[in-house]
């Protein structure tokens, strides 16, 4: 049985204290909606010895295929900027940015209009290059600060929040609305009518697919999240969670089969493309042989599993899967 309450409007929410705003975010159950689902209030509570001077709203989609954040920026730009102001107030900072890839000019325009006249807020158009939406890439592009290996954004005085999270924070601060719904991209060659849906958390994936006209016959796999970092769902009767940014329905033509991979031929393409400057070839070789401590020596835990290395590998090596196995076997 569903029970609903009337939401109360508090137009003066920016006059609340930092502690009161944090309490609203906490009791609304807001988490990072880019996929990680890390509690937002924790990210907004850095230790005293790590002061923050910059907040960045990540308007660069974390994965190809996903367009939910783009849609939200077109439809709710003013609310997203208000969410950014809440973050800035809580962290006591005067510099806020929204980073958007330059292949989304309509979103850049909408967000720039919404930010007009707002002190300390700037909307940045960034080169469209995967994985621009990764936190460390975004920070480098906007602030020219480099997050060192094994460090976090707060170590360079930055907090990054996702577009959807910013919108949810605005709704929590102004109306006290809990995080009960989110935008989910339903896409891929296997879906009949791709689109972005605003859905309640807990809705079954099968309902989303049905709403988008169903799956085509040649569908092979359904991915929760994006095609690079998401995971195949074992059944369509699993629910949308707060971190579900997309459902990708893939056909044979879109899938590389992991069982077809060959030995590393030392071509170096994965090293050239890795945005973290890692040696994915060595990580995958060590992991394949079960030498997980050896993989750690190659900065295993700096890999954020963007999948770029596997995408360019001519031997079709399942580098990310091997890295995930290694990470599960050793401590950071
Ligand atoms: S997935 Fe590959 S390319 Fe991406 S960070 Fe990890 S090692 Fe580098
Ligand atoms: S791209 Fe593939 S084959 Fe080439 S060095 Fe990297 S792991 Fe080896």
């Amino acid at each position: 049985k569903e029970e609903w309450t009337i939401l109360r409007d508090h137009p003066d929410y920016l006059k609340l204290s930092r502690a009161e705003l944090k309490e609203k975010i906490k009791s609304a159950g807001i988490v990072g909606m880019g996929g990680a689902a890390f509690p937002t209030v924790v990210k907004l509570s850095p230790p005293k010895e790590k002061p923050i001077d910059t907040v960045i709203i990540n308007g660069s989609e974390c994965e190809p295929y996903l367009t939910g954040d783009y849609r939200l920026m077109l439809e709710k730009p003013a609310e997203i900027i208000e969410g950014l102001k809440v973050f800035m107030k809580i962290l006591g900072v005067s510099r806020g940015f929204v980073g958007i890839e330059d292949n989304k000019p309509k979103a850049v325009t909408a967000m720039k209009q919404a930010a007009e006249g707002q002190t300390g807020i700037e909307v940045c158009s960034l080169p469209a290059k995967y994985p621009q939406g990764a936190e460390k890439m975004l920070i480098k592009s906007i602030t020219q600060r480099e997050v060192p290996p094994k460090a976090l954004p707060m170590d360079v005085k930055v907090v990054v929040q996702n577009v959807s999270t910013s919108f949810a924070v605005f709704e929590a601060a102004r109306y006290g609305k809990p995080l009960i719904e989110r935008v989910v991209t339903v896409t891929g060659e296997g879906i009949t009518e791709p689109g972005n849906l605003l859905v309640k958390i807990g809705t079954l994936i099968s309902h989303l697919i049905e709403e988008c006209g169903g799956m085509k016959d040649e569908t092979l796999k359904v991915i929760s999240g994006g095609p690079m970092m998401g995971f195949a769902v074992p059944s369509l009767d699993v629910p949308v969670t707060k971190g579900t940014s997309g459902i990708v329905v893939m056909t044979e033509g879109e899938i590389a089969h992991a069982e077809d991979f060959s030995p590393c031929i030392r071509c170096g393409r994965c090293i050239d493309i890795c945005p973290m400057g890692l040696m994915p070839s060595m990580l995958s070789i060590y992991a394949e042989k079960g030498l997980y401590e050896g993989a750690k020596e190659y900065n295993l835990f700096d890999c954020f599993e963007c999948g770029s290395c596997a995408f360019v590998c001519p031997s079709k090596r399942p580098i990310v899967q091997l890295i995930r196995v290694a990470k599960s076997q050793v401590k950071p």
Side-chain angles (χ1 to χ4, degrees), residues 262-273 279-282 284-285 308-317 319:
S262 327
C264 170
I265 56 168
R266 308 294 204 274
C267 68
R269 287 187 204 175
C270 57
I271 299 169
D272 289 342
I273 198 132
M279 294 180 72
S281 49
M282 295 310 290
S284 75
I285 289 167
S308 301
C309 50
F311 187 73
V312 298
C313 176
S315 297
K316 302 198 183 319
R317 292 175 61 73
I319 303 174

Side-chain angles (χ1 to χ4, degrees), residues 63 94 165 187 244 252 260 288 316 318:
E63 290 242 30
S94 53
T165 315
T187 187
T244 309
E252 174 76 39
D260 296 338
E288 194 179 0
K316 302 198 183 319

Side-chain angles (χ1 to χ4, degrees), residues 33-309:
M33 294 168 75
F38 190 72
T40 300
V41 78
V42 176
K43 230 175 168 182
L44 294 174
S45 311
K48 278 202 177 67
E49 65 276 15
K50 306 222 169 175
I52 303 296
D53 67 9
T54 304
V55 179
I56 299 176
I57 298 297
N58 187 355
S60 302
E61 220 78 46
C62 291
E63 290 242 30
Y65 282 61
L66 305 185
T67 54
D69 287 347
Y70 171 64
R71 197 68 235 167
L72 206 55
M73 285 189 284
L74 293 186
E75 295 192 15
K76 304 284 181 188
E79 290 84 347
I80 294 165
I81 294 292
E82 288 302 305
L84 170 56
K85 283 159 67 178
V86 173
F87 291 134
M88 289 165 70
K89 162 122 197 203
I90 290 173
L91 291 162
V93 310
S94 53
R95 274 199 339 158
F97 295 94
V98 184
I100 308 168
E101 289 174 309
D102 58 10
N103 60 353
K104 301 181 181 84
K106 285 186 187 166
V108 173
T109 306
M111 293 303 299
K112 278 192 170 166
Q113 280 170 358
E116 220 169 79
Q118 304 283 356
T119 313
I121 294 181
E122 192 183 326
V123 176
C124 306
S125 174
L126 308 169
K129 183 177 179 251
Y130 182 79
Q132 187 66 267
E135 284 192 346
K136 292 184 179 181
M137 305 299 111
L138 197 64
I139 292 169
K140 179 84 194 295
S141 300
I142 293 178
T143 66
Q144 283 73 53
R145 295 178 197 169
E146 201 150 330
V147 183
K150 298 183 183 140
L152 295 169
M154 72 164 107
D155 293 310
V156 293
K157 303 185 175 183
V158 178
V159 162
V160 180
Q161 296 284 354
N162 165 269
V163 158
S164 301
T165 315
S166 191
F167 177 64
V169 159
F170 160 73
E171 291 204 305
R174 176 150 185 173
Y175 304 109
K177 184 174 172 181
L179 181 52
I180 54 164
E181 58 191 10
R182 65 159 300 143
V183 178
V184 179
T185 302
V186 183
T187 187
E189 289 293 322
I191 195 80
T192 308
E193 294 165 23
N196 286 300
L197 307 180
L198 179 63
V199 301
K200 298 273 182 293
I201 308 296
T203 308
L204 294 181
I205 290 177
S206 55
H207 289 179
L208 270 58
I209 290 174
E210 198 183 312
E211 186 66 27
C212 291
M215 295 192 292
K216 295 179 188 165
D217 290 343
E218 54 272 34
T219 296
L220 262 195
K221 207 186 247 187
V222 177
I223 307 278
S224 174
M228 304 292 265
M229 296 158 81
F231 57 90
V233 291
S235 149
L236 297 184
D237 288 330
V238 292
V240 166
T241 66
K242 293 175 183 178
T244 309
S245 46
I247 300 296
V248 186
V249 183
M250 302 186 100
T251 57
E252 174 76 39
E254 294 174 290
I255 294 170
H257 292 284
E259 61 270 21
D260 296 338
F261 76 94
S262 327
C264 170
I265 56 168
R266 308 294 204 274
C267 68
R269 287 187 204 175
C270 57
I271 299 169
D272 289 342
I273 198 132
C274 177
M276 296 305 293
L278 302 175
M279 294 180 72
S281 49
M282 295 310 290
L283 290 172
S284 75
I285 289 167
Y286 273 106
E288 194 179 0
K289 292 181 191 301
L291 302 170
Y292 305 121
E293 288 294 338
K296 212 170 136 184
E297 296 296 307
Y298 282 86
N299 294 323
L300 171 70
F301 287 95
D302 279 347
C303 166
F304 61 95
E305 301 172 17
C306 69
S308 301
C309 50

